[in-house]
Amino acid sequence: MPEMALIGGGVVGISCALALQAEGHQVTVIDPGPVGEGASWASCGCIAVGEIVPLSQPGMLLKVPGLLMNPKAPLTLRPGSALRLAPWFARFVANARPDKMRSIAADLARLTFSATEDFKAQLADIGQPGLLVERPVIKLFDGEEDRAVMSAAFDLARELGCSIEEISGGEAHEMDPALAPDFKFAALLRDWSFVTDPKRLVEVLHGAFLGRGGSVVSGSAVSFDREGRYVKTVTLNDGRVIAADEFVIAAGTRSRDLAAKLDITLRIEGVIGYSTALRNSGVDLSHTVFYATGGFGITPYDGVLAVAGTIEFAGAEAKPNWSRADILVEKAHRVLPGLRTGEAERRFGRRPLTPDTRPIIGRSGRLANVTFATGHGQLGLTLGATTARLVADEIAGRPPRTDIQAFRPDRFGWGPVGRFEQPHLTGPI
Ligand SMILES: Cc1cc2nc3c(=O)[nH]c(=O)nc-3n(C[C@H](O)[C@H](O)[C@H](O)COP(=O)(O)OP(=O)(O)OC[C@H]3O[C@@H](n4cnc5c(N)ncnc54)[C@H](O)[C@@H]3O)c2cc1C
């Protein structure tokens, strides 16, 4: 069986590594580490089946000035990055047409509807079924205005097969008494579930991979050697060279820069989100709860309560603006009146988002032995196991169980990356 080099050991990469290993391949994962501290660490932990309506929605262009003006809003565009982000953002806004939104939602529905089954099979395979909690997610709305904003997205999601039940705020409080009793409206997202600890999830996937004879090399991929349509080797930041017959690129937001080294254009931006893990929170919450007005979620992980969310378009290199994490914690008191926030640990992550919100899965027509598994945006945790199944099908030459035409890397065209999107892979990342 061929030697495989897989670049990026986040939740998507390590899931692919395990699936390829199960097919009998000898796989080497390359990642600078530490394991599990990529975007997955900062997530809300949801297996978000039915999170299919893209962020680019009708009226997006009109919202841009507001995004620039209010750094505290749940969705914001950092002014200093606006110029560099312009090429990506223009494509993002171009997807905000009703017909495009609908077609993106239908494509994402096809993927997410098998996510729970794929994820459960993955957990069963590594003997960790307890990492998944199968409980619906509760969404809370302050009033009619918030609910109205959401209702078009709910209608589309329902039409495509999602199970969303509208309940009163009082009923939500009965389900989870830690919640404030005075929310006007709530919704139960019945298809969703959550993991008990996303960092541990990535760690146990790594443990299973190593236990089955896989190897992990600590380092950053910086360049490739090619012969015609075949990549022969990948060079790491410390000069080591790794040869392989097959390459998988699953480096989250950095996949764009690596693809550029292969003259392949991927449109990915790192959209920042924040998470604060609260110890001794004084609150006993049993569901993941999303507060629609605040634009964040609260998930009861093992031993901590994680307050996570916000969408910040700031560019791949931007440093975190921790005040955005603090705002979420402040607003979390509205949801959980008994919340104690004295013991807090803040994290941030960059969601690898494409302008059409679809992940990038499959081979490029340009190269015979390179497969991409990236660009999962808000859905990397949800789609890790599903992506792994599709990547294994692709590399085995089997027809995929889900059509991946809409997710292919070549959909962005083969031109060079834009002037403001030049790769910057020169050393450790
Ligand atoms: C606040 C927040 C909330 C979220 N909530 C959810 C949620 O509820 N549900 C959900 O499904 N998703 C959620 N997400 C999104 C999810 O976390 C991401 O989609 C997912 O983690 C992406 O996984 P990944 O493996 O592609 O990337 P990452 O986890 O970022 O992993 C990429 C890996 O590649 C490595 N790497 C980078 N460059 C190189 C290189 N040159 N060479 C070698 N290795 C390299 C990195 O070290 C890293 O380990 C959330 C994200 C955030 C920030």
Side-chain angles (χ1 to χ4, degrees):
M1 279 297 193
E3 282 278 324
M4 296 199 171
L6 194 146
I7 300 164
V11 68
V12 174
I14 197 64
S15 298
C16 292
L18 270 167
L20 292 167
Q21 197 178 42
E23 304 251 323
H25 300 296
Q26 190 56 44
V27 184
T28 297
V29 170
I30 300 163
D31 195 300
V35 164
E37 295 194 6
S40 322
W41 196 27
S43 82
C44 296
C46 289
I47 302 305
V49 176
E51 176 74 333
I52 54 177
V53 178
L55 281 174
S56 50
Q57 295 181 6
M60 196 75 212
L61 202 54
L62 296 174
K63 288 185 194 152
V64 171
L67 302 184
L68 281 164
M69 297 300 290
N70 185 359
K72 293 191 171 182
L75 199 147
T76 185
L77 173 61
R78 223 185 263 184
S81 316
L83 184 62
R84 208 195 64 75
L85 277 166
W88 183 94
F89 213 80
R91 290 177 173 86
F92 181 71
V93 171
N95 278 297
R97 287 200 336 237
D99 57 331
K100 295 222 171 190
M101 184 172 114
R102 200 183 173 76
S103 116
I104 292 167
D107 289 335
L108 292 178
R110 272 191 291 118
L111 279 189
T112 69
F113 286 168
S114 64
T116 308
E117 191 192 320
D118 292 330
F119 187 51
K120 281 165 85 171
Q122 184 188 55
L123 292 183
D125 173 52
I126 62 165
Q128 297 281 349
L131 274 169
L132 181 71
V133 181
E134 289 193 81
R135 235 171 260 160
V137 159
I138 302 174
K139 207 155 197 165
L140 297 169
F141 302 93
D142 272 323
E144 188 56 63
E145 207 180 311
D146 291 331
R147 194 177 64 161
V149 170
M150 211 47 170
S151 72
F154 277 179
D155 287 348
L156 178 56
R158 280 197 192 100
E159 211 182 297
L160 290 166
C162 300
S163 172
I164 301 166
E165 187 186 328
E166 297 199 37
I167 58 174
S168 67
E171 283 169 311
H173 173 71
E174 271 169 38
M175 287 178 67
D176 230 323
L179 298 175
D182 59 337
F183 282 99
K184 280 260 184 306
F185 305 105
L188 271 187
L189 311 179
R190 289 214 172 267
D191 309 300
W192 294 43
S193 50
F194 64 94
V195 297
T196 57
D197 184 338
K199 181 167 188 274
R200 197 169 118 66
L201 168 68
V202 182
E203 286 168 349
V204 297
L205 292 172
H206 268 266
F209 171 71
L210 289 171
R212 293 170 187 184
S215 56
V216 177
V217 171
S218 177
S220 290
V222 290
S223 62
F224 300 93
D225 262 346
R226 278 187 277 177
E227 273 177 35
R229 294 184 66 240
Y230 287 85
V231 172
K232 294 291 178 184
T233 62
V234 54
T235 301
L236 309 192
N237 55 315
D238 59 6
R240 277 177 294 172
V241 175
I242 295 175
D245 295 329
E246 285 279 346
F247 294 80
V248 179
I249 297 180
T253 53
R254 294 293 178 174
S255 306
R256 181 194 70 185
D257 303 347
L258 289 167
K261 294 273 173 178
L262 295 167
D263 300 321
I264 291 172
T265 303
L266 299 186
R267 305 282 176 197
I268 301 177
E269 263 310 327
V271 180
I272 297 182
Y274 300 87
S275 172
T276 303
L278 301 171
R279 270 184 209 290
N280 296 317
S281 64
V283 161
D284 191 12
L285 187 71
S286 58
H287 296 80
T288 296
V289 176
F290 277 92
Y291 178 32
T293 320
F296 64 89
I298 308 175
T299 304
Y301 289 148
D302 273 346
V304 297
L305 209 60
V307 181
T310 82
I311 309 269
E312 188 180 18
F313 295 101
E317 300 302 303
K319 299 227 170 344
N321 170 4
W322 290 115
S323 70
R324 287 184 61 77
D326 298 341
I327 292 165
L328 301 193
V329 173
E330 221 174 281
K331 289 183 182 169
H333 290 281
R334 161 74 184 103
V335 180
L336 301 167
L339 187 65
R340 287 200 301 256
T341 57
E343 292 178 49
E345 190 192 344
R346 298 179 300 192
R347 300 157 186 173
F348 85 107
R350 300 178 203 274
R351 305 170 182 89
L353 187 68
T354 62
D356 64 8
T357 314
R358 296 178 178 98
I360 299 166
I361 305 171
R363 281 200 204 283
S364 158
R366 275 200 127 178
L367 293 167
N369 64 340
V370 178
T371 304
F372 290 93
T374 185
H376 290 75
Q378 305 147 275
L379 289 171
L381 208 67
T382 305
L383 291 174
T386 300
T387 301
R389 171 169 68 72
L390 294 168
V391 163
D393 285 343
E394 177 93 331
I395 290 176
R398 290 186 295 263
R401 270 177 279 171
T402 312
D403 182 8
I404 58 168
Q405 209 47 43
F407 308 112
R408 293 219 167 260
D410 294 335
R411 68 181 188 271
F412 304 104
W414 288 356
V417 288
R419 186 170 156 226
F420 298 105
E421 300 170 273
Q422 290 300 317
H424 24 67
L425 281 176
T426 50
I429 295 172

